[in-house]
Structure formats: C-alpha cells, structure tokens
Amino acid sequence: MISSITCSRARRVVFVIAIVCLVTIFASIVFVAARNDSTQLSSETQTSQQIDPSLKAKIAERFGKLQLSFEANNGQTDKSVKFVSHGLGYDLFLTSTEAVLSLQKPRASRDEPREGSVLRLNMIGGNTAPRVEGQDELPGKVNYFIGNDPDKWRRNVPTFRKVYYKDVYPGIDIVYYGNQQELEYDFVVAPGANPKAIKFRIDGADKIALDASGSLLIALKHGEVKLKKPVIYQLTAEGSRREVKGAYVVNRNEISFKVSGFDARRPLIIDPILSYATFLGAGGNEQAFGIAVDAQGSAYVTGVTDFGPFPTTAGAFKQSNLFGGAFVTKFDPTGSSLVYSTYLAGSGSATGTSIAVDSAGNAHVAGFTSAPDFPIVNGLKTGSFFYKTTDGAATWNNINSGMPSQVRALAVAPNAPNIVYAATSAGPYRS
C-alpha cells in the first residue's frame, strides 16, 4: 500500500497528492511527498546516493541531539496534558500540576515487548490551574496521520522551545526547556516570594538518595535518572550571575530546596536538571533508516518510532501491543530545528526505509506497513503492481508488471524529478 503526502513549509502540511501505490505479497509500501513551496531548489539537488558519508554521520548525530520541542496538545494525547515532547526512548507529558516522563528500556529487537518506567514529578500545595503557555515558537510543525479516519488526524501542531507556568506558587513561575537527554525546569522566584513554598513529590522511583555532589539519584526498575544539584543564582545590576548557595532537602519522596544568602529584593532562579541519559543507554526505540539532503543543506530523515498513550500509572510498565509508526522529518540547514515532522501509522506497524529528494523539494519515501487502516488519500490496493498518478490521484496508470520484493533505496533523477529509481533485492526499477 503506497500513499503520498505533500508537506508545506508555509505552516500548512497537508495531504495533496498520492504519488505511488504499491503492495508486495507480505507487506505494504509507504510513499510520502513533502513539498517546500517557499523555496524552489535547483536542479543540482543531491539525492541520498550522492551524500558524502561524513555528512550522513553528522546528520545522524544531530538527529539525536536536538533541543526539546514541546507540542501543544491538540488532541493527540490525553486531555489532561497541556504539552507533550517525544525523544529517543522517552515521552514527556506536562499537565497542570506535574511533569510525567515515560522512559523505555532499550530493546534487543523490535519483537521484544516494550518495557520501561514512568517517573512523575508532582507539585505539592501549588496552584492546580496555573496559566500554561508555550514560549519561543519554533518553525517546525508536527502532524499525526494515525489510522484511516481523517477526523482523527492532527495537522499543523505548533511546537515551542519552552513551556511557561505562571504563578504555580504565589510569585513563583516554572519554565520547562532542555535537550534530548536533559530536562531543565527553572523556578523563577519573584522579589519577596518565598522559595520554601516550592515542594514536589517524585512518584515511580524505587529509591531516592543524595550523592556526594548533592545530586539526587533516582533508581528505577530498568535504570537510573539523576536530578543534578540545582544551579541557584540571581542577576546583578550589571546583568551578571551571582551564585547563591542551596541544596535539595529530601523527605522520603518529597523534595524541597534550602536556599541561603540571597537578596529578597531581586528575582531568584532555581535551576534543577533532570538527566536521563543513564537510563536510555543505546536507545533502540527510534531508528532512522534513510537520510537525504537537498541543495540548501536541509536534511530529510525517515524511519520508525514507537509511541503510546499517556501513561496513567507510576512505576514500571509493559506494553505487549507492539506497533510502530513511520516518521518523515525535515531539519533546517543548521540541523538545530525542525521544519516539519510527520507520523504515519495505523493499528499495525509502519516503517520508512529510504528517502530521496527531487529538485522541487519533494521528499519521496519508501517503506512498508502491516496496518489495514494505514492513512491513505485516494489510494489503491493492488497485487504487487507499481502505479503512478499525474493528475492529483484522480486516475492511476499501471507502469510495469510489479516488483517482487521490498524497496530498499530510492533516488530521483536530478534533472527529471518525474523519474524515480527504486533499488530492490531483485534488482533496480525505474518509474
């Protein structure tokens, strides 16, 4: 089963044209087209076969070290969640009163059941309905095309660099931000406000202890995460930082802060860092199989990711209902932010295996799915035949007698974007 999507950088990422439809005997193939209408790329666009290996390695490294981006909850997860973030081996959910980190244990293979832990940081005695808003909106949009019911698809979900909570305690705000392996959350204490009011509970930990450096070690079923010793400071009149002495106060699973020697007339920043690199290990829940680069240096990545529902219980969990979703992601030329990211899945698994970019900025992605409800627009179900549409999927034409095996790699002719080359274990094919 092959479908095609056109993603627009001009804040509109929608299905526009289903380019190719292909079914093999044992699996389906997914095609996605991504269109950047704001920039027409030159005919010298590089395909994935022309990328220098060192550049590919650099792109792959950047892919795992992106800053956290927080998605507004537009119905893609539980309604109690305000913002959600996905990363390598984890999902982060921010509700009105807590931060929930769902961590997955690395798996030896995709057939192995998912196991992991849920860690919850719950604010105690604070405002149960603070004002929550995203800050520093990022250019990237996220799309969820899950299942074949368009009413349940979520398009153009905005992403933000930070999430801001106003007046969690009187005169005290929280700002969440971070990178792929560390979550920072600043407590911003206004002049005259009392930092002793800050108190949170850690649920889901087997053991909590302070180490010699003053960091909190949080033991979980499959690993350990760390709350690093908080960085506490105030800004001087000249704008420089002045360090303030402070430490965690641990009472079983309840945590507060001891702060001394600060100027109550100035704002105070308490900056703990939750590090979960020790838990993630080698990852294994997100895999990138195809990378392509266009003439401007923007990178396109496809692969597979696991994602699940909002976790409702603390501690370890198992999920035997295995399914994965294909993803298609475009990075800006610096590799530091997303232009778009799209999830494609149904009730069965789906994987993107290869990607190529043509001179118009269309990303052609091949892969496979076992989902009977995979999202399709004007798609065809065939018996291992290769089809093509030239009129926006109004009609389809049979191009050849079929491919006997799955597509392993794609390439687009630089000067003829309507010609696609597909590599299979049985030999190459040309559209």
Side-chain angles (χ1 to χ4, degrees):
M1 181 185 305
I2 290 189
S3 64
S4 206
I5 303 174
T6 296
C7 303
S8 170
R9 188 177 179 179
R11 298 178 181 267
R12 299 183 60 202
V13 182
V14 295
F15 279 113
V16 175
I17 175 172
I19 294 184
V20 184
C21 191
L22 171 64
V23 171
T24 63
I25 295 174
F26 299 106
S28 297
I29 302 293
V30 181
F31 262 69
V32 182
R35 175 71 182 253
N36 180 347
D37 291 325
S38 64
T39 305
Q40 289 297 321
L41 304 180
S42 73
S43 61
E44 299 175 354
T45 299
Q46 298 178 357
T47 67
S48 58
Q49 281 69 29
Q50 298 170 311
I51 303 172
D52 183 84
S54 62
L55 180 57
K56 272 193 172 184
K58 185 180 294 185
I59 293 169
E61 182 181 5
R62 288 176 178 174
F63 184 60
K65 294 184 177 180
L66 280 176
Q67 64 187 12
L68 281 184
S69 63
F70 298 90
E71 305 168 20
N73 183 14
N74 287 0
Q76 69 269 32
T77 189
D78 188 274
K79 63 182 180 181
S80 65
V81 176
K82 303 298 183 182
F83 289 86
V84 61
S85 182
H86 304 288
L88 181 62
Y90 72 86
D91 298 295
L92 173 67
F93 305 89
L94 299 178
T95 73
S96 295
T97 59
E98 64 181 351
V100 182
L101 194 63
S102 173
L103 295 155
Q104 285 89 50
K105 173 188 173 184
R107 297 187 299 183
S109 70
R110 291 190 56 78
D111 294 330
E112 184 179 323
R114 283 203 312 173
E115 293 188 69
S117 296
V118 177
L119 188 68
R120 310 176 83 103
L121 279 65
N122 198 321
M123 306 309 300
I124 300 174
N127 183 0
T128 59
R131 191 176 84 235
V132 184
E133 61 185 29
Q135 290 188 335
D136 298 344
E137 184 170 358
L138 296 168
K141 303 295 182 183
V142 177
N143 307 276
Y144 291 85
F145 299 112
I146 311 299
N148 56 8
D149 182 357
D151 291 337
K152 296 181 179 179
W153 295 347
R154 297 293 178 264
R155 299 181 174 94
N156 267 349
V157 178
T159 61
F160 301 87
R161 194 184 309 273
K162 299 178 179 180
V163 176
Y164 186 85
Y165 283 64
K166 178 67 175 176
D167 287 329
V168 175
Y169 298 98
I172 300 175
D173 305 333
I174 301 179
V175 183
Y176 290 94
Y177 58 100
N179 59 44
Q180 287 288 308
Q181 294 186 335
E182 291 183 336
L183 171 65
E184 295 192 50
Y185 51 108
D186 291 356
F187 292 96
V188 183
V189 183
N194 185 4
K196 292 183 179 180
I198 302 171
K199 184 180 294 186
F200 60 92
R201 183 178 65 249
I202 299 176
D203 294 324
D206 294 335
K207 183 180 179 181
I208 301 172
L210 283 170
D211 67 9
S213 69
S215 296
L216 273 175
L217 300 181
I218 305 171
L220 302 171
K221 181 179 180 181
H222 298 293
E224 183 180 81
V225 299
K226 179 188 291 188
L227 267 174
K228 296 181 181 179
K229 181 181 178 180
V231 176
I232 306 175
Y233 64 92
Q234 291 183 296
L235 296 178
T236 66
E238 294 76 24
S240 61
R241 287 188 179 188
R242 183 180 73 84
E243 185 177 349
V244 174
K245 292 184 178 181
Y248 292 115
V249 177
V250 182
N251 180 15
R252 293 183 171 179
N253 67 334
E254 293 185 2
I255 312 298
S256 57
F257 297 98
K258 177 175 62 178
V259 184
S260 60
F262 68 96
D263 185 350
R265 298 168 299 177
R266 292 185 178 277
L268 176 73
I269 308 298
I270 303 175
D271 181 13
I273 300 175
L274 178 62
S275 174
Y276 32 91
T278 53
F279 185 95
L280 294 179
N285 294 288
E286 280 75 33
Q287 299 180 61
F289 294 115
I291 298 176
V293 180
D294 64 24
Q296 291 188 330
S298 295
Y300 301 72
V301 182
T302 190
V304 63
T305 180
D306 289 342
F307 51 88
F310 177 68
T312 57
T313 58
F317 69 92
K318 288 187 178 182
Q319 184 168 329
S320 58
N321 181 23
L322 296 175
F323 69 97
F327 67 85
V328 182
T329 299
K330 180 180 178 181
F331 296 90
D332 69 3
T334 68
S336 60
S337 62
L338 300 180
V339 178
Y340 60 74
S341 191
T342 299
Y343 296 92
L344 299 164
S347 58
S349 63
T351 299
T353 58
S354 56
I355 188 168
V357 183
D358 65 25
S359 58
N362 296 312
H364 305 268
V365 178
F368 56 90
T369 180
S370 62
D373 58 346
F374 187 83
I376 303 171
V377 174
N378 295 329
L380 283 179
K381 291 186 176 180
T382 73
S384 189
F385 290 96
F386 191 82
Y387 282 77
K388 181 180 180 180
T389 178
T390 57
D391 54 9
T395 61
W396 294 81
N397 297 310
N398 185 274
I399 303 302
N400 60 28
S401 59
M403 296 182 185
S405 60
Q406 294 178 10
V407 175
R408 299 299 184 184
L410 287 179
V412 179
N415 297 319
N418 62 320
I419 298 177
V420 179
Y421 296 88
T424 76
S425 58
Y429 287 80
R430 176 176 179 260
S431 69

